[in-house]
Amino acid sequence: MKHRIVVLGAGYAGAYVAGTLARRLSPADTEITVVNAEPAFVQRLRLHQLAAGQEIEAPQLAEVFAGTAIRLRRARVTAVDPELRVVAVADADGGGELGYDTLLYALGSHGADHGVPGVPEHAFDVAARPSALRLRERLDSLSKRDEGRSVLVVGDGLTGIETATEIAESRPGLSVTLVARGELGAPLSAGARSHLRQVCDRLDIIVLEHTSVEAVEATRVLCADGTVLASDATVWTAGFAVSPIAAVSGLEVTEDGRIVVDRTMRSLSHPNVYAAGDSAYAIGDNGRPLPMSCASAGYTGRQATDAIVGRLTGSKIANTRLEYPGNHISLGRRDGILQMVDHEGQAKPKYMGGRKAARIKAGIVKMSLWATSHPTFGLPKRKHRLAAAASDVSFAEKSVA
């Protein structure tokens, strides 16, 4: 019987891991199934561009995995039973169950409302393609009306900054306000913060610092200090959260629902389950948790791949670097910031800003898309056979865990 590998999610982490496993493991011993709700690969790094009105590529996963023997199941994951090694899914045909011997959990994250009243009902976000398209439709309708329509972006993290600047540049007829809980660009170096402020001034973005939002309504936002802000479209970018599926399943998770893994991205509670990307609570080489990001998806995905291949084939498991080198921020299409960080995750004094930074960021995004769309490029053609009784390895290891 073949060893069944099921990959949940085909984002930056899941798509890469699935394709690489297909190239490195023999199809005579393994079968790989990828479960994803969307038929296309979503460039989450560029969803703020999609919302602003630009067209971005969305490669079909069937084409991405063509020739790899990967089975693609378009469905939504509804539950995981790590004891029975079964995944429940829902699709147009009613859904069903998928059994597995090794599971790679890479369902990513979604926008977090933090329990703020009105966010689910009235706010827009750019955390997924459908929601980004919904915001785009709203902005289209506002742009057709008289000038003076307002867009309020709540959240001054990287997503909020990129969204506010992209909308302001692409739709100059709209008034854009960026609401920051603290100082704008606080994690950046002094020079990078100054550059960011200059860009906001150039794009006529109103910045409200040290402002906390307590409620979102259809046409306004209520702040903790009593301020009421009018808004024709409120965009919520105040952080991300993961699906509760892992927590409900009985896997060991953190308070926020991320799967607790060891250095090889293996679940501490269930050794035949691995996690990568935003779903994994992984400790970097500096002893700090890796942030939710595309870069972290790449590092954790490579480590999970090496661990799965190593354990199934009986070979040595290499340690992939687990680090966060810095922030690459787009500020519209013609400006950007590259802010590197030190070993402790603190911003280094030097930064790069302007058109060159924008071109580098665009190159990074393009490279991420290409690597995900060509997950087997450059890998050895030899496909490794599984070690004896590899299908039973999870049972054996779990019994002594």
Side-chain angles (χ1 to χ4, degrees):
M1 181 178 178
K2 293 184 179 182
H3 188 94
R4 302 163 300 172
I5 300 175
V6 174
V7 177
L8 305 184
Y12 290 105
Y16 172 84
V17 172
T20 308
L21 289 176
R23 184 62 176 265
R24 295 176 64 179
L25 297 175
S26 171
D29 299 326
T30 58
E31 62 177 35
I32 301 173
T33 301
V34 175
V35 182
N36 200 64
E38 295 288 331
F41 173 73
V42 176
Q43 292 194 72
R44 190 167 180 179
L45 288 175
R46 300 183 64 192
L47 288 179
H48 60 287
Q49 292 177 242
L50 181 66
Q54 302 164 31
E55 297 302 325
I56 64 174
E57 294 180 67
Q60 295 296 304
L61 291 172
E63 297 177 6
V64 171
F65 297 135
T68 63
I70 289 174
R71 302 177 180 182
L72 179 61
R73 179 72 180 272
R74 184 184 174 186
R76 180 173 55 86
V77 178
T78 58
V80 174
D81 188 330
E83 305 301 332
L84 297 179
R85 296 186 301 175
V86 168
V87 176
V89 299
D91 56 21
D93 298 322
E97 293 185 340
L98 294 172
Y100 67 84
D101 299 301
T102 295
L103 181 71
L104 188 282
Y105 190 108
L107 290 180
S109 61
H110 59 269
D113 60 29
H114 302 296
V116 176
V119 172
E121 297 85 3
H122 304 299
F124 297 85
D125 68 69
V126 292
R129 184 177 175 84
S131 57
L133 288 173
R134 177 171 162 264
L135 172 57
R136 176 175 177 159
E137 182 179 356
R138 177 60 174 169
L139 296 178
D140 285 343
S141 69
L142 295 179
S143 297
K144 295 176 182 178
R145 304 178 188 179
D146 296 334
E147 291 190 4
R149 299 294 177 175
S150 60
V151 177
L152 199 65
V153 179
V154 181
D156 62 330
L158 302 189
T159 302
I161 291 170
E162 291 191 328
T163 301
T165 52
E166 201 73 53
I167 293 175
E169 181 181 87
S170 297
R171 299 174 183 268
L174 299 177
S175 173
V176 178
T177 298
L178 178 59
V179 179
R181 177 179 287 272
E183 179 185 3
L184 178 65
L188 303 175
S189 63
R193 290 197 302 272
S194 177
H195 184 84
L196 175 57
R197 289 182 181 280
Q198 291 174 18
V199 172
C200 288
D201 289 341
R202 174 172 60 81
L203 295 174
D204 293 325
I205 296 173
I206 300 170
V207 179
L208 299 179
E209 297 179 294
H210 308 289
T211 302
S212 179
V213 172
E214 285 197 335
V216 176
E217 297 181 354
T219 59
R220 62 180 191 170
V221 165
L222 310 181
C223 301
D225 61 2
T227 303
V228 178
L229 303 173
S231 175
D232 294 300
T234 300
V235 188
W236 192 264
T237 63
F240 298 96
V242 299
S243 165
I245 290 176
V248 173
S249 73
L251 291 165
E252 182 177 345
V253 298
T254 58
E255 185 176 346
D256 63 1
R258 288 184 289 170
I259 298 174
V260 182
V261 296
D262 63 14
R263 182 59 177 73
T264 68
M265 301 303 114
R266 193 184 206 181
S267 165
L268 292 186
S269 60
H270 294 79
N272 57 351
V273 176
Y274 295 78
D278 290 353
S279 301
Y281 181 76
I283 303 300
D285 294 337
N286 63 356
R288 301 172 182 272
L290 291 176
M292 294 184 182
S293 69
C294 176
S296 297
Y299 289 127
T300 57
R302 284 193 289 274
Q303 182 61 80
T305 302
D306 287 342
I308 293 172
V309 172
R311 291 194 172 101
L312 292 183
T313 62
S315 56
K316 183 178 179 180
I317 300 174
N319 277 348
T320 299
R321 289 185 306 159
L322 297 178
E323 61 183 9
Y324 190 76
N327 298 315
H328 308 90
I329 312 168
S330 64
L331 305 174
R333 296 299 86 211
R334 298 184 296 275
D335 210 327
I337 292 174
L338 300 186
Q339 176 69 76
M340 308 310 288
V341 301
D342 60 22
H343 186 68
E344 297 301 317
Q346 301 300 311
K348 295 182 178 180
K350 291 185 178 180
Y351 79 100
M352 178 188 295
R355 287 182 179 270
K356 186 176 181 180
R359 287 195 294 269
I360 293 176
K361 172 62 184 288
I364 291 172
V365 172
K366 185 176 182 179
M367 181 179 65
S368 298
L369 173 63
W370 192 92
T372 305
S373 301
H374 301 77
T376 65
F377 181 81
L379 294 178
K381 294 184 178 180
R382 178 190 175 192
K383 296 179 183 291
H384 299 278
R385 300 297 300 269
L386 268 60
S391 295
D392 297 326
V393 68
S394 58
F395 288 128
E397 292 183 336
K398 187 172 182 179
S399 65
V400 297

